[in-house]
Amino acid sequence: MARVVILGAGISGHTAALHLQRHLKKGAEIIVVSPNSNWNWIPSNIWVGVGKMTKDQVTFPLAPIYKRKHIGFRQAKAVAIHPEGSPDNPQGFVDIDYTDPTRSGQEEQLTYDYLIVATGPKLNFAATPGLGPDGNSWSVCTAGHAEQSAAALETIIEALKAGERKTLVIGVGHGTCTCEGAAFEYTFNVEHELRERGVRELADVVYLSNEYDLGDLGVGGMTFAQNGFETSSKMWTESLFRERGVRAILRAHVEKVDPGVIHYEELDGSKHTLDFDFAMLLPPFRGVDMKAYANNGDDITDDLFAPNGFLRVDADYAVKPFEEWTPEDWPKTYQCPRYANVFGVGIAFAPPHAISEPRKSPNGTIISPAPPRTGMPSGVMGRTVALSIAERIRHGDQAPLRTASMAAMGAACIASAGTGLRKGSAAAITMYPIIPDRKRFPGSGRDLTQTSGEIGLSGHWTKLLLHYLFIYKAKARFGWFMIPE
Amino acid sequence: MSDVDRSIAEAPLPTAGTLRRRKGLFYQATRFVAFNFRMMKMVTRAHH
């Protein structure tokens, strides 16, 4: 019986596991390896970070779901891939170290016929001295981090209630960060919370980002057709910042976070400091620390993984200037070029380049967003690769692979700007395609009939609906597969 | 004032009517249906 090993149980890996099980039933053994015991609906961590949801509302244990679906589960961390197997056995295998407290210190070699690398990112707080919950700033990347942020925010609100002035800085903690959308959401959820608690006047809320313009969001910004005009996401976002009285510092690379002081460099090379009382700064991402070895023991990590630690797949990784970037650079099947039975999905695959225009300061510091590939695209990639593998297991290695290029895929993004069934709001955005195609869509590179943005209460309802729908789906409850990625 | 501050200061402010519509239950119910329809169209396309 064929064995499929999936490294990672986030949106992409978990989606792949459920679809593989559904399509292959007992025709294959599916094993998920994840260092975490819980699944986390990460988009709702924003609400945990302002105390409007608890950790338990955005997470659930994976083991009972996998037991019910007859999917193997190892709570463990993958440390090395051996795609050529060993001198005695050509079958590929993965070295895993258990993080399950009941098997602490144990290791295992897991052989596979197909391997899906869906390990997500390593939260690289170490890239910026003083960044992160172990340093001098907070994070909402995990539900646990978000809970810590909520507690710290509560302390600030108490001080504001006592009449003290406070500066709250929210954004990204390095020039190469991604997920500016999450920073945007947390900024406006905090701002909303401060207003709801009657302490907004005493708080200076600052958004600190590596984006060149507001509304870039790591996708190079968007153009919308509204009321007979083409408007930009820049103008649209700036309008929200003006309306809500939020300051912005853009084109910034955070160099260091000292207690109460952020040191940052701007794109013009100038250096600045910013005093703060509360800072939530997202870390840059890199691939998880995993090695790869040939069957003779040679280290082939650099062949399998890009320098940023993400898995190389069927993308065009040739270095070329921004003007020469094309949609065809982006991967379609997510298959590893060197090993046909290895795939990389979600954040774990190495993108060929950014989506936003790359920029460097005169000091050589890169200050531009990395490409986002979370949420909906991650789920679609996971499903697509699962179906490709299922077809190969059923019909043989010549079965064609399915495709899901981000250059042929749209995305919906609901960026919360405050909670509450009557008082909440969110920016509801759709874009098609994610990767701009300026040949097909001259000008903005995207289809104006399918790229849209609007702000309002209904956006909040949609985000809340998606919270419940995706947790239902991830729990593999009745009809889960009817809910699309 | 930095370029960013200036750009934000010059951004259009929503009118009182726009702010009302953003919170109005009936209008937002229609936007909810419209946005989810648009999103489903996009999702369906992404799955084929």
Side-chain angles (χ1 to χ4, degrees), chain A residues 391-473:
Chain A
E391 282 164 13
R392 289 212 159 177
I393 288 174
R394 280 193 300 232
H395 305 298
D397 285 348
Q398 298 311 309
L401 295 173
R402 298 214 175 196
T403 62
S405 168
M406 283 170 64
M409 193 192 299
C413 170
I414 319 294
S416 173
T419 58
L421 281 173
R422 293 291 298 271
K423 292 184 174 178
S425 65
I429 296 166
T430 59
M431 72 176 99
Y432 177 85
I434 300 169
I435 309 300
D437 185 341
R438 291 186 172 82
K439 278 186 188 159
R440 278 179 72 199
F441 307 109
S444 71
R446 295 198 178 95
D447 184 348
L448 285 182
T449 64
Q450 296 193 66
T451 302
S452 68
E454 60 186 272
I455 298 173
L457 177 59
S458 62
H460 173 71
W461 295 340
T462 302
K463 188 169 170 88
L464 196 61
L465 176 72
L466 294 179
H467 166 92
Y468 290 112
L469 275 178
F470 279 104
I471 288 178
Y472 181 94
K473 178 183 171 80

Side-chain angles (χ1 to χ4, degrees), chain A residues 54-87:
Chain A
T54 64
K55 190 176 168 183
D56 289 345
Q57 285 176 284
V58 300
T59 59
F60 62 81
L62 284 163
I65 310 297
Y66 288 145
K67 188 176 177 191
R68 174 160 50 87
K69 302 305 287 184
H70 307 289
I71 294 171
F73 179 51
R74 308 283 195 278
Q75 193 190 328
K77 186 173 73 171
V79 292
I81 303 176
H82 301 259
E84 298 169 4
S86 63

Side-chain angles (χ1 to χ4, degrees), chain A residues 109-231:
Chain A
Q109 289 188 342
L110 269 180
T111 56
Y112 63 81
D113 295 290
Y114 290 92
L115 178 69
I116 301 178
V117 178
T119 41
K122 172 183 176 178
L123 305 176
N124 194 17
F125 291 109
T128 305
L131 183 70
D134 293 333
N136 304 307
S137 62
W138 303 107
S139 153
V140 291
C141 289
T142 68
H145 287 174
E147 270 193 338
Q148 293 173 334
S149 296
L153 179 64
E154 192 58 38
T155 306
I156 292 291
I157 290 174
E158 290 306 317
L160 288 164
K161 280 183 177 170
E164 296 176 36
R165 294 199 74 84
K166 296 288 177 190
T167 300
L168 297 88
V169 183
I170 298 161
V172 299
H174 194 274
T176 62
C177 280
T178 183
C179 281
E180 288 74 15
F184 168 96
E185 287 190 273
Y186 194 62
T187 302
F188 285 97
N189 271 269
V190 166
E191 197 276 337
H192 177 86
E193 187 64 14
L194 296 175
R195 270 190 291 123
E196 290 293 298
R197 305 280 288 271
V199 292
R200 179 65 180 92
E201 293 74 22
L202 290 170
D204 186 15
V205 181
V206 184
Y207 177 73
L208 176 66
S209 175
N210 56 353
E211 295 158 282
Y212 189 81
D213 286 318
L214 283 176
D216 180 284
L217 300 174
V219 294
M222 286 155 282
T223 301
F224 308 130
Q226 284 179 327
N227 301 323
F229 291 90
E230 288 189 8
T231 59

